[in-house]
Amino acid sequence: MSDELIAAGIATVDKLAAVADSERTYANSVLPIASFESDFSTFTSNISFYRYTSTDAKQREQSIALEAKFDEFSINLYMREDFYNAMVTYR
C-alpha cells in the first residue's frame, strides 16, 4: 500500500505540472494535490500510531521505517521545481 500511495502522489504532481499555465484552474491544480494530501495524511497518521502504541517491537520498527520513507518522499515531492512553478502560476 505504501508504494502505491507514493506512486499516486508522483502521478498527481506529474499530471498537475503538465497542465498548461493558461489552462490552470483550482480544479486541475489545487484540488488534486489537496485530495492526495488528505489521503496521504490519513494513511501516514495510521502508520505513525503504531510507532507510539504497539507493544510489538517489530511493528514499531516497521512504523518508524515507513515514516522515514514517507518523510523522504514528501520532501522530494514538494521540492519539485515543476510543482512549485505550477502552484506559483496558479496563485
Side-chain angles (χ1 to χ4, degrees), residues 73-91:
F73 161 72
S74 293
I75 290 166
N76 290 328
L77 188 72
Y78 293 114
M79 287 190 64
R80 285 180 49 172
E81 189 172 352
D82 57 349
F83 175 65
Y84 172 79
N85 290 334
M87 293 295 96
V88 168
T89 301
Y90 171 74
R91 194 185 80 173

Side-chain angles (χ1 to χ4, degrees), residues 12 19 34 39 44 46 48 55 57 77-78:
T12 297
V19 173
D39 295 342
T44 57
N46 290 337
S48 295
T55 58
L77 188 72
Y78 293 114

Side-chain angles (χ1 to χ4, degrees), residues 35-54:
S35 178
F36 169 74
E37 287 175 344
S38 175
D39 295 342
F40 186 74
S41 177
T42 299
F43 187 80
T44 57
S45 293
N46 290 337
I47 293 298
S48 295
F49 177 78
Y50 294 104
R51 174 184 186 172
Y52 299 104
T53 61
S54 180

Side-chain angles (χ1 to χ4, degrees), residues 58-70:
K58 184 175 180 178
Q59 195 171 45
R60 288 192 309 270
E61 290 169 9
Q62 290 172 335
S63 175
I64 291 167
L66 277 173
E67 282 184 307
K69 182 178 182 175
F70 288 140

